[in-house]
Amino acid sequence: MSRSNPRVLSTLERAGGFASAQEVYRLMQREGESIGLTTVYRSLQSLVNDKIVDVLRRDDGEAIYRLCGDAHHHHLVCKGCGDTVEIEGGAIEKWALNVAKDHGFREVGHTAEIFGLCSKC
Amino acid sequence: MSRSNPRVLSTLERAGGFASAQEVYRLMQREGESIGLTTVYRSLQSLVNDKIVDVLRRDDGEAIYRLCGDAHHHHLVCKGCGDTVEIEGGAIEKWALNVAKDHGFREVGHTAEIFGLCSKC
DNA sequence: TCACAAATGAAAATGATTTTCATTTCCATA
DNA sequence: TATGGAAATGAAAATCATTTTCATTTGTGA
Ligand SMILES: [Zn+2]
Ligand SMILES: [Zn+2]
Ligand SMILES: [Zn+2]
Ligand SMILES: [Zn+2]
């Protein structure tokens, strides 16, 4: 296993929220950083192993990474215009933990998203 | 949009639990059915559109499909072995509705999934 | 300086999924 | 029954994220 290239972590921080390996790579290129795609993948994997970043999957299957420390939140998305509101998890956080615990699961995570039509649509 | 080939649904039933498109295809081949991989993919997509099957992602990103009861529910999935527990929404249903209403949204829906490591993993 | 391990990245390989497109199957209507 | 167009089919090619290979570079301690 190789160690993570610090510039990858720094770029993921700067990206804010979730970013895929490809996006991190493109972002670094755009900023003139010289790095190989392979190193981006290896670094992100390493950061996941070290539990410094979280990894999820987009609907299309692409892996997306995010700093674990980032404030956890969810989204309320308008199906019409795409407007998005960041919302606190609130009740759902406890619900997810309780359900998981009831079934003997550990290292628990969750995803949740609300969608509908906003007042303008 | 094409309609689902009924043999695909029948095979997915027989598979029990989750199966990927590739697995459904291999299973049909092994049973001597003549079908193209493309048709398997198209049929599964169509079944998802019609909400007859659920689709999730394995940790490696491969899409897996499964027959889904009509009742609205959520899933608790083991990241290790893929075991899945169907769970009632409970608290999350109200949470989603309330959050949406607070922001003036209507025609509200939501997605939620819990994942972790089961007691056997 | 030397030797050796770790890091790097270009290019090829992998593997799931999608797209293309020519062919076949259905089906309604004349 | 014949026929024309729509829908379904599937083989092959294309796509695209991710992994693997492997030769080269870099870092580090003796
Ligand atoms: Zn809107
Ligand atoms: Zn949450
Ligand atoms: Zn498990
Ligand atoms: Zn629900």
Side-chain angles (χ1 to χ4, degrees), chain A residues 56-61 74 76-79 83 85-92 95-97 99-100 103-121, chain B residues 57-62 74 76-79 83 85-92 95-97 99-100 103-121:
Chain A
L56 291 183
R57 294 258 169 203
R58 285 212 184 108
D59 268 0
D60 67 359
H74 298 273
L76 170 59
V77 186
C78 175
K79 288 184 285 193
D83 256 10
V85 184
E86 286 197 359
I87 52 187
E88 295 302 315
I92 192 191
W95 171 76
L97 284 174
V99 168
H103 290 83
F105 279 55
R106 59 206 145 72
E107 293 192 33
V108 180
H110 64 268
T111 61
E113 192 169 300
I114 312 177
F115 45 87
L117 284 175
C118 79
S119 51
K120 286 175 292 189
C121 288
Chain B
R57 294 264 169 197
R58 287 214 182 106
D59 258 7
D60 66 359
E62 191 171 358
H74 298 273
L76 170 59
V77 187
C78 175
K79 288 184 287 191
D83 256 9
V85 184
E86 286 198 356
I87 52 188
E88 296 302 316
I92 191 189
W95 171 76
L97 283 175
V99 168
H103 289 82
F105 278 57
R106 59 214 145 75
E107 294 192 35
V108 179
H110 64 270
T111 62
E113 191 171 304
I114 313 179
F115 45 86
L117 285 174
C118 79
S119 51
K120 286 175 294 192
C121 290

Side-chain angles (χ1 to χ4, degrees), chain A residues 62-97:
Chain A
E62 189 171 358
I64 49 179
Y65 305 83
R66 125 186 120 170
L67 277 181
C68 281
D70 280 1
H72 173 80
H73 64 260
H74 298 273
H75 292 125
L76 170 59
V77 186
C78 175
K79 288 184 285 193
C81 61
D83 256 10
T84 301
V85 184
E86 286 197 359
I87 52 187
E88 295 302 315
I92 192 191
E93 310 299 325
K94 286 175 199 152
W95 171 76
L97 284 174

Side-chain angles (χ1 to χ4, degrees), chain A residues 20-36:
Chain A
S20 71
Q22 302 280 348
E23 287 165 351
V24 168
Y25 175 65
R26 274 183 237 122
L27 190 51
M28 294 181 78
Q29 296 235 301
R30 212 175 305 137
E31 292 175 350
E33 300 223 45
S34 165
I35 197 166

Side-chain angles (χ1 to χ4, degrees), chain B residues 24-38:
Chain B
V24 169
Y25 176 66
R26 277 183 235 123
L27 190 51
M28 295 181 78
Q29 295 236 302
R30 214 175 303 138
E31 292 174 350
E33 301 222 45
S34 166
I35 196 167
L37 181 56
T38 314

